[in-house]
């Protein structure tokens, strides 16, 4: 679904990505961990076509994302850390625009309104939504396209408990349906609930996940580190 090879990205004199290679296959949910400024968001933005890498290759469903950006973007959906929508549009109008751009139907919009518990708010303007309601609208916009690859940047960092439950349920359904998910997070519970694999980004490259907060040390008779959740580390 997603193949990244030798990805490099610099901002001025600072190297953010230094030869990053990463793959995410069908039905996989990969958590990308790392400290602030390590390049997690930059990686997702390069895949989504919002940042141009200085070197490397990105393939989305076999499509060269750098040579055929529009076609590759049609196979993915990206949820940024903060979603922004025109304040005067209603909830339904916002999702209808997303649906038209992504080739979805009015029936898909209605289903997404129900899934994200926004049906009763469909006629309300975005500017009149609470913070939690706007979060759910962002989730609905991200889940609405029926694509192969979903990118989520710190998706639960500011979600209220209800939106958090909705997100995790929907994300698990994606992988059960054979979609691919790549997400960044600092939340251990997200990794335990959603990740089938963990990758740690440090110094612009992937490093061993051992030693991260998501590992526990076993008894002395056992060597190495053991994951504390139902997921595995490695490339």
């Amino acid at each position: 679904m997603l193949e990244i090879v030798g990805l490099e990205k610099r901002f001025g004199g600072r190297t953010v990505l230094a030869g990053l290679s990463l793959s995410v296959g069908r039905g996989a949910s990969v958590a990308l961990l790392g400290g602030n400024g390590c390049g997690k968001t930059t990686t997702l933005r390069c895949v989504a076509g919002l940042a141009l890498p200085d070197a490397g290759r990105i393939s989305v469903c076999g499509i060269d994302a750098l040579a055929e950006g529009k076609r590759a973007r049609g196979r993915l959906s990206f949820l940024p850390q903060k979603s922004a929508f025109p304040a005067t549009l209603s909830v339904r109008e916002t999702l209808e625009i997303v649906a038209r751009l992504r080739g979805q139907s009015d029936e898909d919009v209605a289903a997404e309104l129900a899934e994200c518990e926004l049906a009763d708010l469909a006629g309300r303007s975005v500017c009149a939504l609470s913070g939690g309601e706007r979060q759910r609208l962002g989730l609905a916009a991200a889940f609405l396209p029926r694509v192969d690859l979903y990118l989520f940047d710190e998706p639960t960092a500011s979600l209220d408990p209800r939106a958090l439950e909705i997100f995790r349920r929907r994300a698990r359904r994606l992988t059960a349906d054979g979609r691919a998910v790549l997400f960044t997070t600092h939340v251990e519970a997200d990794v335990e609930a959603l990740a089938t694999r963990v990758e740690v980004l440090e110094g612009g490259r992937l490093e061993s996940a051992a030693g991260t907060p998501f590992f526990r040390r076993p008894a002395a008779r056992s060597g190495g580190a053991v994951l504390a959740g139902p997921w595995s580390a490695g490339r």
Side-chain angles (χ1 to χ4, degrees), residues 157-232:
S158 60
L159 294 184
D160 63 24
R162 188 64 193 132
L164 176 60
E165 181 181 342
I166 291 170
F167 172 77
R168 288 179 178 167
R169 182 185 72 236
R170 299 297 303 285
R172 284 192 291 264
R173 191 186 304 168
L174 291 176
T175 53
D177 290 342
R179 320 280 182 174
V181 173
L182 176 63
F183 69 98
T184 71
T185 188
H186 289 97
V187 182
E188 181 175 358
D190 289 342
V191 180
E192 294 179 343
L194 301 174
T196 60
R197 194 172 91 238
V198 176
E199 300 284 4
V200 178
L201 188 55
E202 184 176 347
R205 296 184 177 89
L206 295 184
E207 303 292 343
S208 168
T212 72
F214 304 104
F215 278 77
R216 60 177 172 80
R217 292 290 176 181
R221 64 177 179 274
S222 300
V226 178
L227 284 166
W231 33 267
S232 60

Side-chain angles (χ1 to χ4, degrees), residues 14-16 32-42 81 153-154 157 184-187 200-204:
R14 186 169 70 97
T15 298
V16 177
L32 187 59
L33 310 183
N36 291 333
C38 72
K40 302 188 302 296
T41 294
T42 298
Q81 291 185 32
D153 193 9
E154 299 285 352
T184 71
T185 188
H186 289 97
V187 182
V200 178
L201 188 55
E202 184 176 347

Side-chain angles (χ1 to χ4, degrees), residues 30 44 48-49 127 133 173 176 234:
V30 177
L44 297 192
C127 62
E133 290 164 349
R173 191 186 304 168

Side-chain angles (χ1 to χ4, degrees), residues 73-78 97-104 145 147:
R73 288 192 297 272
R75 304 295 291 273
L76 63 83
S77 181
F78 175 46
I97 290 174
V98 174
R100 285 197 292 271
L101 291 172
R102 303 309 300 267
Q104 305 301 134
V147 292

Side-chain angles (χ1 to χ4, degrees), residues 82-102:
K82 293 184 179 180
S83 301
F85 304 102
T88 57
L89 291 180
S90 70
V91 169
R92 184 186 300 278
E93 288 170 338
T94 300
L95 293 181
E96 285 175 344
I97 290 174
V98 174
R100 285 197 292 271
L101 291 172
R102 303 309 300 267

